């Protein structure tokens, strides 16, 4: 079974530029999550989708971050404009989404460096 | 708010010795608790979870964890550590996964 796919694996941009990350979850997983992991910290949930609807985006900085999952499968996370403090690893995870505490399966992440 | 704490930034053990990584939690209601491991330049890998039932949970790679409600703890354990267990370990609570800061485990040969 293929795992969660993410691209690109690495990205370097200058502040005020825009960037987009892509995630393809495990086939059949209804729930998709985006996390931000700053160096030395645990991952922090940015947004959770159930199929193509947003369940929780309370910690997403909406003035600069946006995410979509239009067809309920793959998802894109965008930052525009980027700030230095956005340097982090962005992790995508998916779960079956049957309700309750599903196990989340993580992709390899995208390491973003903002100069 | 749901939260977990990992009181040790680093744990160092010799290969073959028991390994314990500590986690305490703070939740309202019944906790859902998870352990994940992260190897360099890789995503998080699921080890085990506690939802309900038996307080001793067995997981992947020989790891287990003991849920202790009175001490609000969920410590990860392995009876005999391997050098390949060297990694970053995260405890998390709730199915939206509020993570601790992580504990770096180093197993020396």
């Amino acid at each position: 079974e293929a795992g969660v796919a993410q691209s690109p694996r690495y990205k370097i941009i200058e502040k005020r530029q825009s960037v987009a990350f892509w995630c393809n979850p495990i086939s059949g997983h209804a729930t998709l999550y985006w996390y931000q992991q700053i160096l030395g910290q645990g991952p922090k949930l940015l947004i959770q989708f159930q199929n193509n609807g947003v369940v929780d985006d309370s910690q997403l900085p909406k003035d600069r971050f946006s995410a979509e999952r239009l067809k309920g499968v793959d998802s894109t996370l965008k930052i525009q404009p980027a700030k230095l403090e956005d340097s982090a690893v962005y992790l995508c995870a998916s779960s079956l989404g049957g309700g309750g505490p599903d196990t989340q399966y993580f992709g390899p992440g995208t390491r973003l460096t903002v100069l | 708010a749901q939260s977990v704490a990992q009181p040790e930034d680093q744990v160092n053990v010799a290969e073959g010795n028991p390994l314990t990584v500590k986690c305490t939690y703070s939740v309202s209601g019944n906790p859902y608790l998870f352990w994940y491991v992260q190897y360099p330049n890789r995503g998080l890998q699921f080890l085990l979870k506690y939802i309900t039932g038996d307080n001793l949970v067995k997981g992947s790679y020989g790891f287990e964890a003991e849920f202790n409600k009175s001490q609000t703890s969920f410590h990860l354990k392995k009876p005999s550590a391997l050098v390949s267990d060297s990694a970053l370990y995260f405890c998390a609570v709730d199915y939206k996964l509020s993570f601790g800061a992580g504990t770096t485990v180093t197993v020396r040969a």
Side-chain angles (χ1 to χ4, degrees), chain B residues 19-81:
Chain B
L19 170 63
T20 299
V21 187
K22 297 179 179 177
C23 173
T24 59
Y25 65 88
S26 175
V27 303
S28 54
N30 294 322
Y32 302 130
L33 295 158
F34 301 79
W35 276 102
Y36 282 81
V37 60
Q38 188 172 36
Y39 297 99
N41 298 316
R42 296 175 65 178
L44 281 76
Q45 295 181 28
F46 170 75
L47 284 177
L48 49 81
K49 67 181 177 183
Y50 172 82
I51 306 303
T52 187
D54 194 348
N55 289 343
L56 185 63
V57 179
K58 293 188 182 297
S60 307
Y61 312 120
F63 284 94
E64 58 188 29
E66 186 170 11
F67 172 68
N68 188 317
K69 189 172 183 178
S70 63
Q71 297 185 8
T72 62
S73 67
F74 189 57
H75 300 334
L76 181 71
K77 299 179 180 181
K78 187 171 184 179
S80 179

Side-chain angles (χ1 to χ4, degrees), chain A residues 9-10 33 35 37 40-45 48 55-56 89 91 100-109 111, chain B residues 32-34 36 38 40-46 48-51 88 90 94-102:
Chain A
R9 292 294 311 275
Y10 305 91
Y33 312 78
Y35 290 84
Q37 185 178 16
Q41 300 180 18
K44 181 185 80 172
L45 179 68
Q48 176 187 352
V55 174
D56 183 355
V89 176
L91 295 165
D102 286 338
T103 297
Q104 294 185 29
Y105 296 91
F106 285 79
R111 183 178 298 276
Chain B
Y32 302 130
L33 295 158
F34 301 79
Y36 282 81
Q38 188 172 36
N41 298 316
R42 296 175 65 178
L44 281 76
Q45 295 181 28
F46 170 75
L48 49 81
K49 67 181 177 183
Y50 172 82
I51 306 303
L88 182 56
F90 289 100
D94 194 15
Y95 41 97
K96 293 182 181 179
L97 293 185
S98 293
F99 284 90

